[in-house]
């Protein structure tokens, strides 16, 4: 598995430091309030669990799985594979996602949850890729900015593999060019 990695971009120490900072920021921003953390499956689960364990506020968690039709004629069209079960009306909601790339997926999730009338709706992403966004959307909490290279590990996959690597690394070009 590790042979498929070209180089480590963010090692586990750096990730631990950054997730602790983000959780501390959320604890400060929502001091005295309750929050609902929503993990967008599957890529965000490792990041989500690291953030969650450092949240010191009363906190509910939920999960959502979506698929965006990136090549569809209707930009931002979203298929909900699994919806949240929590009622988020009037609550402080934070969407936790792995990567903000073109912005299509997060934009669509944001719109969908916004219609359910939360008190506040924030976005927390592990990585923000420096690429042209098809949908201008800003994360409130960002782990790291990255160049437009394909990365795996720490929850991120290529064809469902590499999610279990403890660091975020760039996949060798021959892997993403040949498979999937
Ligand atoms: P967007 O709709 O273009 O913003 O797509 C973001 C989604 O694409 C993320 O949630 C990831 O699932 C996937 N993605 C984009 N770049 C990468 C990457 O480098 N590694 C793994 N998944 C990626
Ligand atoms: Mg994904």
């Amino acid at each position: 598995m590790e042979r498929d990695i070209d180089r480590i971009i963010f090692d586990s120490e750096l990730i631990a430091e950054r997730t602790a900072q983000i959780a501390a920021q959320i604890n400060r921003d929502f001091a005295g309030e309750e929050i609902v953390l929503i993990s967008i499956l599957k890529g965000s689960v490792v990041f989500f669990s690291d953030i969650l364990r450092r949240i010191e506020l009363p906190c509910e968690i939920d999960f959502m799985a979506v698929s965006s039709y990136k090549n569809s004629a209707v930009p931002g069209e979203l298929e909900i594979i699994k919806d949240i079960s929590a009622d988020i009306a009037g609550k402080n909601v934070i969407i936790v996602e792995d990567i903000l790339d073109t912005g299509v997926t997060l934009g669509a999730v944001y719109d969908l949850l916004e219609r359910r009338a939360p008190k506040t709706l924030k976005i927390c992403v592990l990585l923000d890729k420096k690429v042209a966004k098809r949908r201008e959307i800003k994360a409130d909490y960002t782990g790291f900015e990255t160049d437009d290279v394909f990365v795996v590990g720490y929850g991120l996959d290529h064809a469902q593999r590499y999610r279990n690597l403890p660091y975020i690394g760039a996949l060798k070009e021959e892997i993403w060019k040949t498979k999937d």
Side-chain angles (χ1 to χ4, degrees):
M1 188 170 62
E2 309 233 334
R3 277 178 313 174
D4 298 346
I5 304 301
D6 181 50
R7 65 190 188 281
I8 294 175
I9 298 183
F10 303 108
D11 66 24
S12 50
E13 268 175 39
L14 188 60
I15 295 171
E17 204 177 290
R18 190 70 192 115
T19 51
Q21 286 169 351
I22 291 173
Q25 187 64 52
I26 293 172
N27 287 330
R28 280 195 296 274
D29 291 352
F30 290 93
E33 304 260 348
E34 294 187 17
I35 61 170
V36 184
L37 286 177
I38 298 179
S39 165
I40 308 301
L41 298 171
K42 303 170 187 169
S44 76
V45 289
V46 183
F47 177 52
F48 179 83
S49 68
D50 276 349
I51 297 276
L52 175 65
R53 281 175 291 180
R54 291 182 174 270
I55 294 295
E56 294 162 359
L57 311 163
C59 174
E60 219 181 306
I61 64 168
D62 217 321
F63 300 88
M64 183 178 240
V66 298
S67 164
S68 61
Y69 306 103
K70 288 192 184 160
N71 303 317
S72 138
V74 189
E77 200 181 346
L78 192 79
E79 184 194 359
I80 303 178
I81 296 160
K82 185 222 169 295
D83 202 347
I84 53 169
S85 50
D87 175 6
I88 58 166
K91 296 185 179 167
N92 297 305
V93 175
I94 303 176
I95 304 164
V96 182
E97 170 64 314
D98 55 359
I99 300 181
L100 178 52
D101 190 10
T102 64
V104 171
T105 308
L106 256 175
V109 169
Y110 187 93
D111 293 345
L112 179 91
L113 295 179
E114 175 88 298
R115 286 198 288 274
R116 299 182 187 175
K119 180 180 175 190
T120 60
L121 185 57
K122 304 284 184 198
I123 293 174
C124 174
V125 291
L126 171 62
L127 301 178
D128 187 352
K129 280 202 176 176
K130 289 184 230 156
V131 294
K133 302 279 184 271
R134 282 177 60 194
R135 160 88 186 257
E136 260 323 311
I137 188 148
K138 276 254 160 276
D140 301 280
Y141 307 97
T142 301
F144 307 100
E145 286 201 337
T146 57
D147 293 325
D148 191 16
V149 290
F150 199 87
V151 289
V152 294
Y154 192 65
L156 308 171
D157 75 306
H158 175 261
Q160 300 302 329
R161 292 181 63 203
Y162 312 105
R163 294 193 197 274
N164 50 323
L165 290 173
Y167 52 80
I168 298 168
L171 198 58
K172 281 185 183 161
E173 200 169 291
E174 67 242 40
I175 307 291
W176 54 262
K177 279 208 171 146
T178 52
K179 289 185 213 159
D180 191 44

